[in-house]
Amino acid sequence: QVQLVESGGGLVQAGGSLMLSCAASGVSRRPMGWFRQAPGKERQFVAAISSSGGTYYVDSSVKGRFTISRDNAKNTVYLQMNSLKPEDTAVYYCAARRGGSGWYAATAEYDYWGQGTQVTVSS
């Protein structure tokens, strides 16, 4: 059974930093991604990383502020978020694919999802 468990969310002031973690079980060395969903909005792509961690892609809305990485020995993917803005406020979700090796940016390309972790940035 596949489980993705996000952690690290919380309340932070604008300009601050948070690091989200996604611990996976039942699936390993697969492409993974981070998405976010604000109230009343669709789920939005944030960042994705290949199965090896050798390639990754970060959405232009967070480029230069967010970094995605993974530790396959720990079966964990991270999202380092710096210079946070109020518009980054959302529930952040981790996702994983059954197969493939590259990075993927569409929600429909992912097979497994975590329960989400709330990130709130105050102004």
Side-chain angles (χ1 to χ4, degrees):
Q1 185 174 354
V2 175
Q3 274 195 315
L4 303 175
V5 180
E6 302 100 333
S7 61
L11 174 63
V12 64
Q13 287 189 333
S17 298
L18 284 173
M19 187 172 76
L20 305 183
S21 299
C22 173
S25 60
V27 62
S28 63
R29 296 184 181 273
R30 292 289 184 260
M32 296 185 72
W34 286 98
F35 293 77
R36 66 186 181 185
Q37 189 165 18
K41 294 189 176 182
E42 291 188 354
R43 195 164 295 189
Q44 173 193 15
F45 169 76
V46 176
I49 192 164
S50 65
S51 56
S52 69
T55 60
Y56 57 89
Y57 182 75
V58 179
D59 187 73
S60 59
S61 63
V62 301
K63 196 169 185 177
R65 300 188 296 122
F66 290 13
T67 303
I68 187 170
S69 62
R70 67 188 300 158
D71 183 340
N72 281 342
K74 296 182 179 179
N75 217 12
T76 300
V77 173
Y78 305 96
L79 185 69
Q80 177 66 46
M81 306 186 295
N82 299 327
S83 302
L84 283 161
K85 304 176 181 179
E87 51 264 44
D88 294 320
T89 295
V91 177
Y92 283 70
Y93 296 92
C94 171
R97 281 176 55 91
R98 285 194 197 97
S101 59
W103 55 262
Y104 302 82
T107 55
E109 294 179 301
Y110 287 88
D111 302 294
Y112 308 107
W113 293 85
Q115 81 289 350
T117 185
Q118 176 71 46
V119 171
T120 302
V121 185
S122 63
S123 57

